[in-house]
Amino acid sequence: MSDGTRLRQSWYDALNDAEAQFRQLLTSCSSSEWKHVSLSGDTSAPSGKGKSRASAAPELADVVVHRKPSKLGDYVYRAILEVPIVDDSASLDSWKAIFMTPEIRQDWDPAVEGAQLVEMIDQTTRIVKTNYTIGWPANPRDAVTISRLFHDTSNIIDISTSLPRSPDEPAYLRPSPPYVRSSVKLFAWCVQHIQPPQQNMQPAEQLKRKLSGSARMRITCFWQHDLRAIWNFGSSSTICQQLCTMMVGLYKAVKKRGTRVPTLMSYGYGVSIERIRFQLDREALTVEYAIHPEDEDHLSQSTENAQGLDVGSVRERRQLTRSIEYALPSVEGWDVQVSTRASSEKLEQLPWTTSATRKFSSPPSSPSAIKSLDFAVFRISHASLPDENSILKVKVVLELSGPSSGIRLNGLPQSIQRIEERDPSSFIVPQQILQDVTSIADLSLQSSSSISSANSTTSTASKSAPARPPLLRTLTERSAAADKSIFSRVKRSYIYFSSLMQEPEAKWKRTTEARGVSITQLDSIDPTLVVYRAEATFVGLGLWDLYGALASPGARVYFDKQHEDAVLLEDVNELTELWHFKTKPAWPVNGRDAVLLKTVYKSPTTIHVFSFSADELHLFPNIPPAEPNVIRTQVDLQGWAIEALSPNTTQLTLLEQSDPKGWSNKASIPQQMINAVAGVGEFTIKCGGPPVVTRLSGARTNDVRYDHERGTFRIEYEGSEGRRMTSPTAAEDTIGDSSISGSTPTIECELRCDIDTWASSLDIVIDPPPQNISCLRRHRLSAGGGGLWLTLGHDALFTHDERLLAIVRRGPITSSKDKGTVMVNGARVTVDVEELPEQEIKALSKRKRIKPPRIPLDQPPVMSVIRRRREEWDADGTNVASSPNPDTASTEVAVSSLWPAAPRFSSPLSNFFTTAMEQATMTTQQAVAAISPSMATGDDATPSSSKPPMQHVLEALSWIRDMHTQSTSEGWTLVSDKGLSVHRKLSSEMSPTIPIHKGEKVIEGVAAEEVASVVTSYDCRKQWDDRFDSATVLENFGAKSHTAFVVSKSNFPFRDRGFYLSSVMARARLPSAQSDTDASEGDLPQDTRNVIFCVSASFNPESVASFSPEKYNPYALPIGRMFVDGWMLETLDPYTTENFAIPSTRCTRIVAVDYAGSIPTAVNSLINSSLPRAVLAVETYVKNMAPLPTIRLPTSALVLADKKNEEAPSSFSWKLLSRDENRTLISSNFDPAARVYSGSLLLTLPSHPRSTYKPEEITPKPAKIALNPLSPDVRSSNNAGILPPFNSVSSPTRDRSSSSASVQSHSNDRLRSSTSSAFTIKGEVKYSGDLLVAEYVVDSKLYPEGYDVQIRSRNRDNAKYIPLQVPEDPAQTSQVLPIAYAVYTVPSSPLHSSGLNADRPPRHLLRLTLPTAQYQISTVQDPLTEKTHSAPPKPQWLLDLQDKGVIVEVEVKPAASVAKRNKIVKIDGGDVAVATEKESLTSLGRDELQDDRVSKMSLLFRTSEEGETLPDDLKAPIAIADHLLNPVVISLPSTDGEDVNEDEGKVHRTDEPDESAIQVPDKSVTQSQVAATSTGRFLSFLNSYPLSRLASSAPWASATVATVVAVAPSSVVSTPSGSSLSGNSAKLPEPLGDADQPAPSVSLSGVRSAVSTSYPLSTVIIIALIAFLIGSLLRSLLSPADFIYVATDIKEAEEAGAGWREIRRLLEVKYIVGGWDFQIAVVRRH
């Protein structure tokens, strides 16, 4: 085994040879061998060229391309572009950064799919692997190159060449099928700064050229690439277009990314670079390296010389021992994250230091030098390791961090020192290659060879070069005309096939569907054109597995019993083959055969296999004649399309247009297509993908056989000189002897085997044995193609006329170690395994299905990329020319003033003092950054006061819905993945400063409704939320929509924060992610998902100014802002591929909160990142507790019916459509400690209903029960009739919607309600039913001992609102309604956690009803007795219900402990029998028992119609916490013109107020009240500890918000003291008075006197003592004044008339240094 020295030496030799070739090409730049290549098919200049020239942007026509023949028979291309130096692209540091970052190459090279750095040998030498798009539809190409970069002050050279093949090469350099390893003989760049000649110019001419900016930059590229293919990828003009696009793209990439790319500048001994990656989306450079014991003293001089290290480089590496340096452009800000890991904690905590310096350049010594880019050098130095066996792993991430400049290390600012840099050209000796470049800098592009060759290229080539060798070679040596005819037929057939694949879905009509295969027929006006299409999707199969089953004719015997044989007649070329297929006869149908010309086109995600009949004997003489009794089928097109929807899901499509001839007609074709498509899928699922030949180069296939029963694959091939791998451009002009070759011709056969399903091990026999063999195994989900890829190589010279045979068989398995082994001719072969991280495997397995675009595969995608980029550049050039860039000057000013230089001192003491000050400054900056508050400014400081509270939460709900519908990961950055993945994203719609954090997890075994009840319950939240302290509900709007003051805990030493939150709970039906764009309206129910949104958002405190902050915020907590706090709960579809329990809920929390005040940015971000992790706490809490009691009617949520597919208008308003006119939910609470549920609702009954009760509201009327409303025991009399007979009334037709039903629009609801009839669908009379009051669902598992239900009802007062606090007066809580009740058993459902176990206690349904049916009987006259039958008179409770409504309160609590074990259910103290499940189903039916009442939920939707932005139901609350109101507002004095009724508590105004007298309150009054209240508390200045900023500095940080009043100028009221005061008066807020009765007014002085606060005597004494101590301290700092006379001369001193100064000392510190005193004083002139 080699130690690697010889391998590295071969790499350096290849690089040295490339350098020598580059220097030879430089010296021959003026040779006549360089021929100009024109850009064919391109216009001379676009229409907007003049505009584009104004921006000095280069175009494709500016690139000059030449080519020169090489000794190997191919061409060397040279592309040159000269641009004026007018922008930042002139900096060579930007070019160096782009060249050193291979990941950016896909941005500027249209032929590159991706590139990555494989190994970094030293600072300037690197190994890069590049994947090219060139190669499809055969096989793509890749290359592994070694590159070296040279640079000085005016030149940059980057030379790359392919690594030579070696048996000792590492695994990552071996071929990786299906990519074919191409050979990059030379790929070199040279960027020069060209100065105009100054010798023979007059001074005036020199000045003119200098002013005109004639300094230019020349970009030169040498390109020599052997693609190792015979497939014609394009002519020289195509390569010319690619090179021109690449040159312009590189220039634009430097302009765009030159100052946004960090680079690894240098590193020293003891540092080993392991991995370098640059992420284009994040613009982040990740460097992973290891610190190992340095042994630079043992480094041999030969190794240094082999690496090309000069003395300066060796000295630099020794200076940077265990250190690494990065270059960071200073115009951008950078966020640096450094992390270490080691085998022990002690080793991991070894110290490391960082330093950042910026170099400001002195004037360059040479005039040709270019001003370097202003960048900062960031160095990381590590301490020495404790022993020789220790290794420290380090990971550094350098990411672009927004508009601000500077460097932040692990979140803390890093100071940057400025140092002076000398001109490197004054002390660095230029290398020889740089001297050669400088010597040709004055070479003019307008050479004679370049000019004259433009017109003589064609003639010279035709005279000096032989004819182009034919592209297609066969055994019969076809003529060029025959080859062209075959190629044209293949091209026409593929154009027809690709056009059919791109036909819209509307042109295909469905005919049949069976075995998972859908058959459609092309809807054509031509009746003779019959084209069928079969489609099927297979889950768990990869792209290459299906292709293996499809390309192996022997596999067809398994699923097609009529198939007889398939023989390969001729291998036409690398992509096309001629086959003869035969089918068995089946009486009375004769056997058939077909001769098909099959072609295969491949791409990374799609494979096209199309064939058609071939009957031209002059083109294919091997076609066998038709046999007797065998009919030859005419196949116009048979095309297969294999498309990868995801790594484990593949779609198979078959297009068929054929004529079976004979008696059989085309009607049998669909069934045959179903058998073929389904058979291929079933065979692959069961048996796996058979071995298949994916590439055969330098040879021709003679025979291919696959025997499925024996499990053997056999391929026989022989060498073909016409298929030797040559350069595609050398075929156009071959000069010299064709026998000249730089390498030995080889024959390569590439096989792909399914080693997971088809075989566990392989036994391969190859005759003759191959010279080399490589095996690569990928994971089945890998993007490069899963399975085992074998590449067999033979020397073409030794096997010229010999037959080559390869047999692949299943290997024997004797033990588990034999799995995955490959035996070739009895010897085990090393298998390279391409591993995938476990996290990436999970991500690939869950990747959503995306249908690839159906584009033609017959041409490489290079030209389409070129066209697309040219269009983008033309558009950008027009925009740039029309609008100049205004940011240049501001950027320069900002950059120049970012980091001021510290003053320099010369003495050692001064240097010591400066160093100490810098360290103290840096420490102070880090400390300040750690505690600097992140207070939002502008519109983000406080919510808008012009919006009602509910509008804020509805806007947040709309944003969350849109975000959840998109389901994209774009812009989300991973914060933490420990236990729960937390991502963050900055959204300007929510907040431009506070990022949004998101956490998501699937909770198994729990339904979304159960999680929603836990999330929305404040009492339960105290159990699972560590940061939740308390919540005080202020207003309630119904359906759990409310406003509240929520207190959240903060981190020590900061105080807790209060939040004014408005909350809403809504349900929505959203489209699935894969059906957002192409789902039709009919597919909506199948492609939608039910989501419950629980959203909260902050609102302005002025909206609840009528409440007293001292009552709900007694500690005057600082106020924060909750931008959004949303829970998205989605019950997963049980019929998915994921193996989740039923039911399961995807729980997502999105939160963005600003704790404001003095909380630093880092702490605020830490809190935000921890809030989404509450999903884990919710999961633990829900699984350890039974489901909570819930109210089903009235509904506790809204239905969000906003449609996502409609464009959102610029301004919209919210509409609320109430679908329940009788019931409104007021409150719903649950105490988890006592297991007590309490809820209240408002019940109303319109006196003149617009229609009869809907079926959902009707309860079957009890038989033979007449309720006397005046009977005292009516409640007990109803117990016997709780369960009515099933046949007592006819079952009304119910229109219910379950949880799986779609949300209907409000127009449909109106239509349903308006078309109610007095008869059922069966024609029976529809009887009126009792009014359904409420429905509650109680899980008996929560109450194993039983439960007790208390029902109370009271009449509603005539007040505007309903008090949330339950009155304690028993008279007010008496029973006023004769409510009947019944308890049913709800059958188990798979959509609820109760359906998981069969023995789980059931759920109960508590239904409350009112006997209203007997009072709704119409007056009828009996025709026989002539008696009039009418309804009994309405009782008082019914009149009250119709007049003002009744409040019903229900409480569920555990039953008292009893001796018997049976569960008991009590209602109002009496035992109630629970109907069994069978009785419940008989009485109500399954639909009624499981109906979740979505159809009764109010409909919330957005509209662009003009009107109020918010509905009235969400503006005025239905209930408020009256006990929290300001006492001034409640006890208002009477005024003239008002009559106060103390008994009823109403205020009657005798006259209407003048609207013109109502004015807006003075802002100063409100602010003064706020100040008075906030400063009135004891030691209120400590509210925002630590004292970095007072709490009052926040715009709305004070919790004591004064009452906002509206004043009327002409009111005179009486104060409590009895004195009359006139002035501005205050009007009651709207929720506190009747709408028709304006509230009385009160003077501001009265408000001030009412809100005055008294303090105890102890508090006053303590405050007085503190004031005395502070005064004494201040007094001790003052000293008597000193008077000093200041005189300028002797005469002025003698006069003594002026010049006196009075100095009063403020601060004095005596005896500082040497008898000196330190004083701070003020001076007064006399």
Side-chain angles (χ1 to χ4, degrees), residues 701-716:
T701 306
N702 294 334
D703 188 23
V704 177
R705 291 288 179 178
Y706 171 69
D707 191 344
H708 177 67
E709 296 180 356
R710 299 181 179 179
T712 59
F713 174 80
R714 173 191 176 99
I715 177 174
E716 180 182 332

Side-chain angles (χ1 to χ4, degrees), residues 124-307:
T124 59
T125 309
R126 61 200 183 278
I127 297 178
V128 178
K129 183 178 181 182
T130 307
N131 294 335
Y132 297 93
T133 56
I134 297 178
W136 303 113
N139 285 75
R141 265 55 182 171
D142 65 355
V144 179
T145 57
I146 182 171
S147 306
R148 179 173 292 170
L149 187 136
F150 308 88
H151 68 94
D152 59 6
T153 56
S154 58
N155 302 282
I156 278 188
I157 299 174
D158 187 73
I159 301 175
S160 303
T161 185
S162 287
L163 290 177
R165 298 297 303 275
S166 172
D168 300 329
E169 62 187 5
Y172 61 81
L173 297 181
R174 297 172 189 167
S176 57
Y179 287 91
V180 180
R181 185 62 44 83
S182 61
S183 176
V184 179
K185 299 177 182 178
L186 181 65
F187 185 61
W189 290 91
C190 178
V191 182
Q192 303 169 267
H193 182 214
I194 307 297
Q195 287 288 347
Q198 306 286 341
Q199 290 81 7
N200 301 326
M201 290 186 183
Q202 299 296 331
E205 185 69 20
Q206 295 181 8
L207 180 60
K208 181 179 179 181
R209 285 182 173 270
K210 184 176 181 180
L211 294 177
S212 62
S214 59
R216 303 179 67 83
M217 176 172 289
R218 176 178 295 176
I219 310 165
T220 307
C221 175
F222 293 94
W223 187 86
Q224 186 180 7
H225 193 176
D226 182 9
L227 294 171
R228 301 183 62 205
I230 64 170
W231 187 257
N232 185 15
F233 293 116
S235 60
S236 59
S237 62
T238 304
I239 297 178
C240 180
Q241 291 190 19
Q242 175 193 339
L243 293 178
C244 294
T245 308
M246 180 181 64
M247 297 285 289
V248 179
L250 176 61
Y251 177 80
K252 293 182 177 294
V254 172
K255 286 187 59 179
K256 178 182 178 182
R257 296 183 181 269
T259 60
R260 303 171 67 88
V261 178
T263 56
L264 173 61
M265 195 167 67
S266 59
Y267 58 93
Y269 294 110
V271 178
S272 177
I273 304 297
E274 296 182 347
R275 182 175 180 267
I276 300 179
R277 288 291 184 273
F278 181 78
Q279 300 181 16
L280 291 175
D281 52 351
R282 293 178 53 193
E283 294 184 312
L285 179 68
T286 302
V287 181
E288 298 179 5
Y289 60 93
I291 303 297
H292 54 78
E294 65 279 0
D295 52 354
E296 65 273 14
D297 297 335
H298 302 86
L299 185 65
S300 62
Q301 187 68 24
S302 60
T303 306
E304 294 179 354
N305 295 335
Q307 295 181 4

Side-chain angles (χ1 to χ4, degrees), residues 74 336 373 569 603 670 776 1099 1159 1250 1295 1471 1631 1667 1701:
D74 55 357
V336 183
L373 179 67
L569 300 179
S603 76
L776 175 64
F1099 62 91
I1159 291 187
R1250 62 182 181 182
D1295 184 13
D1471 295 345
R1701 304 288 188 270

Side-chain angles (χ1 to χ4, degrees), residues 39 42-64 80-83 244-245 247-249 251-252 870 873-874 877-878:
L39 192 61
D42 186 20
T43 58
S44 59
S47 58
K49 186 174 182 180
K51 249 181 178 180
S52 181
R53 288 302 182 190
S55 62
E59 299 176 354
L60 297 183
D62 297 332
V63 183
V64 181
I80 301 178
L81 173 64
E82 285 193 1
V83 293
C244 294
T245 308
M247 297 285 289
V248 179
Y251 177 80
K252 293 182 177 294
R870 289 186 60 184
W873 294 342
D874 292 342
T878 304

Side-chain angles (χ1 to χ4, degrees), residues 1637-1658:
Q1637 299 171 356
S1641 58
V1642 61
S1643 65
L1644 295 178
S1645 58
V1647 175
R1648 293 192 184 97
S1649 62
V1651 299
S1652 60
T1653 307
S1654 59
Y1655 295 97
L1657 181 61
S1658 59

Side-chain angles (χ1 to χ4, degrees), residues 1152-1314:
V1153 57
D1154 182 11
Y1155 273 68
S1158 59
I1159 291 187
T1161 305
V1163 178
N1164 190 79
S1165 178
L1166 182 64
I1167 296 176
N1168 275 269
S1169 61
S1170 64
L1171 290 178
R1173 303 185 65 83
V1175 177
L1176 300 176
V1178 171
E1179 179 184 18
T1180 304
Y1181 183 80
V1182 170
K1183 290 187 176 181
N1184 295 333
M1185 186 175 182
L1188 311 183
T1190 57
I1191 182 170
R1192 202 169 73 174
L1193 197 70
T1195 58
S1196 59
L1198 307 176
V1199 173
L1200 183 60
D1202 192 6
K1203 296 183 179 179
K1204 181 65 182 70
N1205 53 3
E1206 296 180 358
E1207 296 184 358
S1210 58
S1211 61
F1212 57 85
S1213 59
W1214 292 94
K1215 302 296 181 183
L1216 185 65
L1217 178 63
S1218 177
R1219 299 194 286 187
D1220 191 351
E1221 299 178 354
N1222 300 324
R1223 293 161 291 265
T1224 303
L1225 179 64
I1226 299 177
S1227 63
S1228 178
N1229 304 311
F1230 178 76
D1231 185 2
R1235 292 181 298 161
V1236 175
Y1237 170 84
S1238 59
S1240 60
L1241 61 98
L1242 175 63
L1243 185 66
T1244 58
L1245 186 64
S1247 58
H1248 299 285
R1250 62 182 181 182
S1251 61
T1252 57
Y1253 296 132
K1254 297 180 182 180
E1256 293 90 349
E1257 306 173 6
I1258 298 176
T1259 301
K1261 183 178 178 181
K1264 299 181 181 179
I1265 293 181
L1267 296 178
N1268 185 5
L1270 302 179
S1271 176
D1273 56 347
V1274 63
R1275 298 294 302 275
S1276 59
S1277 63
N1278 286 340
N1279 294 340
I1282 289 179
L1283 297 177
F1286 181 72
N1287 56 356
S1288 61
V1289 295
S1290 59
S1291 300
T1293 304
R1294 300 180 177 92
D1295 184 13
R1296 306 181 183 92
S1297 62
S1298 61
S1299 60
S1300 60
S1302 61
V1303 178
Q1304 303 293 337
S1305 64
H1306 57 279
S1307 60
N1308 295 338
D1309 295 309
R1310 293 176 178 175
L1311 181 61
R1312 250 196 329 267
S1313 62
S1314 62

Side-chain angles (χ1 to χ4, degrees), residues 1499-1519:
L1499 197 65
L1500 180 67
F1501 58 95
R1502 292 186 302 181
T1503 178
S1504 58
E1505 300 176 359
E1506 296 182 357
E1508 297 292 337
T1509 58
L1510 202 66
D1512 295 336
D1513 293 341
L1514 296 180
K1515 285 184 179 180
I1518 189 175

Side-chain angles (χ1 to χ4, degrees), residues 223-408:
W223 187 86
Q224 186 180 7
H225 193 176
D226 182 9
L227 294 171
R228 301 183 62 205
I230 64 170
W231 187 257
N232 185 15
F233 293 116
S235 60
S236 59
S237 62
T238 304
I239 297 178
C240 180
Q241 291 190 19
Q242 175 193 339
L243 293 178
C244 294
T245 308
M246 180 181 64
M247 297 285 289
V248 179
L250 176 61
Y251 177 80
K252 293 182 177 294
V254 172
K255 286 187 59 179
K256 178 182 178 182
R257 296 183 181 269
T259 60
R260 303 171 67 88
V261 178
T263 56
L264 173 61
M265 195 167 67
S266 59
Y267 58 93
Y269 294 110
V271 178
S272 177
I273 304 297
E274 296 182 347
R275 182 175 180 267
I276 300 179
R277 288 291 184 273
F278 181 78
Q279 300 181 16
L280 291 175
D281 52 351
R282 293 178 53 193
E283 294 184 312
L285 179 68
T286 302
V287 181
E288 298 179 5
Y289 60 93
I291 303 297
H292 54 78
E294 65 279 0
D295 52 354
E296 65 273 14
D297 297 335
H298 302 86
L299 185 65
S300 62
Q301 187 68 24
S302 60
T303 306
E304 294 179 354
N305 295 335
Q307 295 181 4
L309 300 178
D310 52 8
V311 178
S313 300
V314 174
R315 184 184 301 112
E316 182 184 8
R317 295 196 66 175
R318 290 178 179 176
Q319 292 177 354
L320 293 176
T321 300
R322 297 185 306 278
S323 300
I324 187 169
E325 288 185 344
Y326 304 92
L328 306 178
S330 299
V331 296
E332 303 289 347
W334 299 97
D335 187 4
V336 183
Q337 299 290 333
V338 181
S339 59
T340 60
R341 57 187 179 91
S343 57
S344 64
E345 185 177 357
K346 179 181 179 181
L347 185 60
E348 186 175 347
Q349 295 179 354
L350 285 177
W352 49 272
T353 59
T354 61
S355 64
T357 59
R358 174 188 289 178
K359 302 176 182 179
F360 56 96
S361 304
S362 59
S365 59
S366 61
S368 62
I370 304 176
K371 182 181 178 182
S372 61
L373 179 67
D374 189 10
F375 62 89
V377 178
F378 182 76
R379 176 187 293 186
I380 303 177
S381 301
H382 297 268
S384 59
L385 300 179
D387 50 44
E388 297 181 354
N389 299 324
S390 301
I391 295 179
L392 178 65
K393 301 284 186 178
V394 186
K395 181 179 180 181
V396 181
V397 180
L398 304 100
E399 184 176 2
L400 198 69
S401 63
S404 60
S405 302
I407 300 176
R408 296 180 69 91

